[in-house]
Amino acid sequence: MMTGSLLALQPIVCGKARSHRAYEALARFPGPNGLRGPYETLADGQWATLDREMIAHLRDWTLQGNRRLSPLFINLSAETLACDDNFDAWLEDFKGFQADAPAPVTLEVSEFVDDDLLDRRWPKLAALSHGIALDDFGARYASLDRLKRYPWAICKFECASLDAPATQEAMSFCRSHGIQQVVERIESSSDAARASGVDLHQGYFYGRPQAVAMDFSIRKVGVA
């Protein structure tokens, strides 16, 4: 059963030039007060369906002629990674999408994915993608130990945590090991100033997730 999601895109920008460098593909859901995120909407058991649904949205959108040359960031849930059947189905969907839209894709690993699960899936994920991103550093399993243990391409940090000692150590490790950094949840000019030492920024200050119309035209239908 489908979840009723919409495809939304949020820009990831160069903090200095304010130019768009990539887009994160996000799920949004219609609600009485605007669009809502998946954590406010989904029940357990629906995340694997959502992961496949998002690939289907992206594939349909690009087949309508809206192919993006910019790199994409795509999230992958623990629920998809934990089940062989779910993972194999998602893999087939993803390969089909890549055949239609060969723009670089970075896969974001949720902080809810444990190390055993990540060990099982890492080889296939690495072979499929332009790189793998550690999402939400400092939350749940997204620890400094995990950052050091795997060959990440990107690490994403929350703006509010930038002064924390663990974040400072992690950012230093990223710089010395060639791991690109993205600061998320930048919502004001003061947030942007705090993150000025990092090249890539993401947040409402630069653009909210913009839902694409259901007919996949460029027409705007809502933000969240």
Side-chain angles (χ1 to χ4, degrees), residues 134 137 142-152 154-155 157 169-171 173-174 179:
L134 176 62
F137 176 82
S143 64
L144 186 60
D145 179 68
R146 170 169 285 191
L147 175 63
K148 294 179 177 181
R149 181 175 173 183
Y150 297 91
W152 304 98
I154 291 169
C155 186
F157 299 93
E169 184 176 352
M171 296 178 82
F173 179 85
C174 288
I179 301 171

mmCIF file of all heavy atoms in Angstrom, residues 134 137 142-152 154-155 157 169-171 173-174 179:
data_model
loop_
_atom_site.group_PDB
_atom_site.id
_atom_site.type_symbol
_atom_site.label_atom_id
_atom_site.label_comp_id
_atom_site.label_asym_id
_atom_site.label_seq_id
_atom_site.Cartn_x
_atom_site.Cartn_y
_atom_site.Cartn_z
ATOM 1 N N LEU A 134 27.050 10.055 6.218
ATOM 2 C CA LEU A 134 26.629 9.835 7.597
ATOM 3 C C LEU A 134 25.696 10.978 7.968
ATOM 4 O O LEU A 134 26.114 12.139 8.029
ATOM 5 C CB LEU A 134 27.847 9.803 8.513
ATOM 6 C CG LEU A 134 27.579 9.667 10.011
ATOM 7 C CD1 LEU A 134 26.878 8.355 10.319
ATOM 8 C CD2 LEU A 134 28.877 9.760 10.802
ATOM 9 N N PHE A 137 25.009 13.586 12.473
ATOM 10 C CA PHE A 137 26.108 13.240 13.388
ATOM 11 C C PHE A 137 25.724 13.582 14.830
ATOM 12 O O PHE A 137 25.183 14.642 15.120
ATOM 13 C CB PHE A 137 27.392 13.988 13.029
ATOM 14 C CG PHE A 137 28.495 13.715 14.008
ATOM 15 C CD1 PHE A 137 29.256 12.574 13.908
ATOM 16 C CD2 PHE A 137 28.726 14.580 15.077
ATOM 17 C CE1 PHE A 137 30.251 12.294 14.840
ATOM 18 C CE2 PHE A 137 29.708 14.312 16.014
ATOM 19 C CZ PHE A 137 30.474 13.165 15.894
ATOM 20 N N ALA A 142 24.986 7.494 15.027
ATOM 21 C CA ALA A 142 25.856 8.340 14.208
ATOM 22 C C ALA A 142 26.938 8.981 15.079
ATOM 23 O O ALA A 142 26.979 10.190 15.270
ATOM 24 C CB ALA A 142 25.038 9.399 13.481
ATOM 25 N N SER A 143 27.835 8.154 15.559
ATOM 26 C CA SER A 143 28.831 8.566 16.551
ATOM 27 C C SER A 143 30.183 8.874 15.919
ATOM 28 O O SER A 143 30.418 8.604 14.737
ATOM 29 C CB SER A 143 29.010 7.449 17.577
ATOM 30 O OG SER A 143 29.542 6.299 16.942
ATOM 31 N N LEU A 144 31.091 9.380 16.747
ATOM 32 C CA LEU A 144 32.457 9.618 16.300
ATOM 33 C C LEU A 144 33.134 8.307 15.928
ATOM 34 O O LEU A 144 33.877 8.235 14.937
ATOM 35 C CB LEU A 144 33.242 10.328 17.408
ATOM 36 C CG LEU A 144 34.659 10.783 17.075
ATOM 37 C CD1 LEU A 144 34.656 11.780 15.920
ATOM 38 C CD2 LEU A 144 35.313 11.409 18.311
ATOM 39 N N ASP A 145 32.869 7.259 16.682
ATOM 40 C CA ASP A 145 33.428 5.939 16.362
ATOM 41 C C ASP A 145 32.957 5.468 14.995
ATOM 42 O O ASP A 145 33.741 4.936 14.214
ATOM 43 C CB ASP A 145 33.022 4.935 17.443
ATOM 44 C CG ASP A 145 33.557 3.543 17.152
ATOM 45 O OD1 ASP A 145 34.791 3.364 17.214
ATOM 46 O OD2 ASP A 145 32.749 2.630 16.857
ATOM 47 N N ARG A 146 31.681 5.670 14.691
ATOM 48 C CA ARG A 146 31.167 5.270 13.377
ATOM 49 C C ARG A 146 31.796 6.112 12.275
ATOM 50 O O ARG A 146 32.133 5.591 11.202
ATOM 51 C CB ARG A 146 29.646 5.408 13.330
ATOM 52 C CG ARG A 146 29.078 5.247 11.931
ATOM 53 C CD ARG A 146 27.580 5.107 11.900
ATOM 54 N NE ARG A 146 27.193 3.776 12.351
ATOM 55 C CZ ARG A 146 25.950 3.286 12.241
ATOM 56 N NH1 ARG A 146 24.986 4.025 11.728
ATOM 57 N NH2 ARG A 146 25.674 2.075 12.664
ATOM 58 N N LEU A 147 31.957 7.396 12.508
ATOM 59 C CA LEU A 147 32.592 8.255 11.515
ATOM 60 C C LEU A 147 33.984 7.750 11.165
ATOM 61 O O LEU A 147 34.394 7.731 10.001
ATOM 62 C CB LEU A 147 32.661 9.690 12.038
ATOM 63 C CG LEU A 147 33.401 10.707 11.167
ATOM 64 C CD1 LEU A 147 32.708 10.887 9.825
ATOM 65 C CD2 LEU A 147 33.518 12.041 11.898
ATOM 66 N N LYS A 148 34.721 7.315 12.173
ATOM 67 C CA LYS A 148 36.102 6.870 11.963
ATOM 68 C C LYS A 148 36.195 5.459 11.396
ATOM 69 O O LYS A 148 37.234 5.080 10.845
ATOM 70 C CB LYS A 148 36.868 6.943 13.283
ATOM 71 C CG LYS A 148 37.062 8.362 13.799
ATOM 72 C CD LYS A 148 37.816 8.386 15.119
ATOM 73 C CE LYS A 148 38.077 9.804 15.593
ATOM 74 N NZ LYS A 148 38.829 9.838 16.879
ATOM 75 N N ARG A 149 35.136 4.695 11.519
ATOM 76 C CA ARG A 149 35.178 3.274 11.175
ATOM 77 C C ARG A 149 34.945 2.994 9.696
ATOM 78 O O ARG A 149 35.422 1.993 9.162
ATOM 79 C CB ARG A 149 34.143 2.519 12.014
ATOM 80 C CG ARG A 149 34.100 1.033 11.775
ATOM 81 C CD ARG A 149 33.138 0.348 12.731
ATOM 82 N NE ARG A 149 32.969 -1.046 12.403
ATOM 83 C CZ ARG A 149 32.150 -1.866 13.031
ATOM 84 N NH1 ARG A 149 31.428 -1.419 14.055
ATOM 85 N NH2 ARG A 149 32.028 -3.123 12.670
ATOM 86 N N TYR A 150 34.202 3.865 9.013
ATOM 87 C CA TYR A 150 33.807 3.607 7.630
ATOM 88 C C TYR A 150 34.335 4.709 6.705
ATOM 89 O O TYR A 150 34.536 5.842 7.143
ATOM 90 C CB TYR A 150 32.276 3.566 7.510
ATOM 91 C CG TYR A 150 31.635 2.458 8.305
ATOM 92 C CD1 TYR A 150 31.222 2.674 9.625
ATOM 93 C CD2 TYR A 150 31.424 1.203 7.750
ATOM 94 C CE1 TYR A 150 30.628 1.659 10.360
ATOM 95 C CE2 TYR A 150 30.827 0.184 8.477
ATOM 96 C CZ TYR A 150 30.432 0.417 9.786
ATOM 97 O OH TYR A 150 29.848 -0.578 10.518
ATOM 98 N N PRO A 151 34.518 4.382 5.411
ATOM 99 C CA PRO A 151 35.027 5.380 4.450
ATOM 100 C C PRO A 151 33.918 6.286 3.902
ATOM 101 O O PRO A 151 33.537 6.217 2.732
ATOM 102 C CB PRO A 151 35.638 4.512 3.349
ATOM 103 C CG PRO A 151 34.830 3.255 3.370
ATOM 104 C CD PRO A 151 34.473 3.022 4.821
ATOM 105 N N TRP A 152 33.401 7.165 4.755
ATOM 106 C CA TRP A 152 32.329 8.066 4.348
ATOM 107 C C TRP A 152 32.820 9.077 3.313
ATOM 108 O O TRP A 152 33.964 9.530 3.360
ATOM 109 C CB TRP A 152 31.800 8.829 5.561
ATOM 110 C CG TRP A 152 31.324 7.955 6.666
ATOM 111 C CD1 TRP A 152 32.009 7.597 7.791
ATOM 112 C CD2 TRP A 152 30.059 7.299 6.759
ATOM 113 N NE1 TRP A 152 31.248 6.765 8.578
ATOM 114 C CE2 TRP A 152 30.050 6.560 7.964
ATOM 115 C CE3 TRP A 152 28.921 7.269 5.929
ATOM 116 C CZ2 TRP A 152 28.946 5.807 8.364
ATOM 117 C CZ3 TRP A 152 27.830 6.515 6.332
ATOM 118 C CH2 TRP A 152 27.853 5.801 7.535
ATOM 119 N N ILE A 154 30.745 11.877 2.945
ATOM 120 C CA ILE A 154 30.155 13.101 3.478
ATOM 121 C C ILE A 154 29.683 12.840 4.902
ATOM 122 O O ILE A 154 29.240 11.737 5.226
ATOM 123 C CB ILE A 154 28.963 13.557 2.604
ATOM 124 C CG1 ILE A 154 29.467 14.039 1.232
ATOM 125 C CG2 ILE A 154 28.147 14.664 3.272
ATOM 126 C CD1 ILE A 154 28.381 14.267 0.217
ATOM 127 N N CYS A 155 29.772 13.874 5.743
ATOM 128 C CA CYS A 155 29.185 13.836 7.078
ATOM 129 C C CYS A 155 28.312 15.075 7.250
ATOM 130 O O CYS A 155 28.750 16.186 6.935
ATOM 131 C CB CYS A 155 30.260 13.784 8.159
ATOM 132 S SG CYS A 155 29.618 13.566 9.842
ATOM 133 N N PHE A 157 26.131 17.583 9.718
ATOM 134 C CA PHE A 157 26.086 18.069 11.088
ATOM 135 C C PHE A 157 24.905 19.015 11.282
ATOM 136 O O PHE A 157 24.551 19.763 10.360
ATOM 137 C CB PHE A 157 27.375 18.833 11.426
ATOM 138 C CG PHE A 157 28.630 18.013 11.339
ATOM 139 C CD1 PHE A 157 29.377 17.992 10.167
ATOM 140 C CD2 PHE A 157 29.067 17.271 12.423
ATOM 141 C CE1 PHE A 157 30.545 17.245 10.082
ATOM 142 C CE2 PHE A 157 30.233 16.518 12.345
ATOM 143 C CZ PHE A 157 30.971 16.501 11.175
ATOM 144 N N GLU A 169 35.630 17.683 17.158
ATOM 145 C CA GLU A 169 36.577 16.596 16.865
ATOM 146 C C GLU A 169 36.206 15.904 15.555
ATOM 147 O O GLU A 169 37.082 15.574 14.742
ATOM 148 C CB GLU A 169 36.581 15.587 18.007
ATOM 149 C CG GLU A 169 37.619 14.478 17.814
ATOM 150 C CD GLU A 169 37.699 13.521 18.981
ATOM 151 O OE1 GLU A 169 37.068 13.786 20.028
ATOM 152 O OE2 GLU A 169 38.403 12.499 18.855
ATOM 153 N N ALA A 170 34.923 15.688 15.351
ATOM 154 C CA ALA A 170 34.480 15.040 14.122
ATOM 155 C C ALA A 170 34.790 15.889 12.898
ATOM 156 O O ALA A 170 35.234 15.373 11.855
ATOM 157 C CB ALA A 170 32.980 14.765 14.199
ATOM 158 N N MET A 171 34.581 17.193 12.993
ATOM 159 C CA MET A 171 34.860 18.071 11.859
ATOM 160 C C MET A 171 36.349 18.118 11.557
ATOM 161 O O MET A 171 36.757 18.154 10.385
ATOM 162 C CB MET A 171 34.299 19.465 12.135
ATOM 163 C CG MET A 171 32.784 19.472 12.255
ATOM 164 S SD MET A 171 32.083 21.093 12.648
ATOM 165 C CE MET A 171 32.048 21.823 11.026
ATOM 166 N N PHE A 173 38.399 15.635 12.106
ATOM 167 C CA PHE A 173 38.668 14.342 11.470
ATOM 168 C C PHE A 173 38.256 14.381 9.994
ATOM 169 O O PHE A 173 38.990 13.894 9.123
ATOM 170 C CB PHE A 173 37.906 13.232 12.201
ATOM 171 C CG PHE A 173 38.105 11.867 11.606
ATOM 172 C CD1 PHE A 173 39.207 11.098 11.966
ATOM 173 C CD2 PHE A 173 37.193 11.350 10.698
ATOM 174 C CE1 PHE A 173 39.403 9.837 11.413
ATOM 175 C CE2 PHE A 173 37.374 10.092 10.142
ATOM 176 C CZ PHE A 173 38.485 9.332 10.505
ATOM 177 N N CYS A 174 37.099 14.961 9.699
ATOM 178 C CA CYS A 174 36.643 15.066 8.310
ATOM 179 C C CYS A 174 37.638 15.858 7.460
ATOM 180 O O CYS A 174 37.985 15.451 6.337
ATOM 181 C CB CYS A 174 35.270 15.725 8.255
ATOM 182 S SG CYS A 174 33.913 14.695 8.848
ATOM 183 N N ILE A 179 36.775 14.076 4.041
ATOM 184 C CA ILE A 179 35.337 13.828 4.098
ATOM 185 C C ILE A 179 34.617 15.173 4.005
ATOM 186 O O ILE A 179 34.840 16.062 4.830
ATOM 187 C CB ILE A 179 34.945 13.106 5.405
ATOM 188 C CG1 ILE A 179 35.679 11.767 5.509
ATOM 189 C CG2 ILE A 179 33.436 12.898 5.475
ATOM 190 C CD1 ILE A 179 35.528 11.090 6.855
#
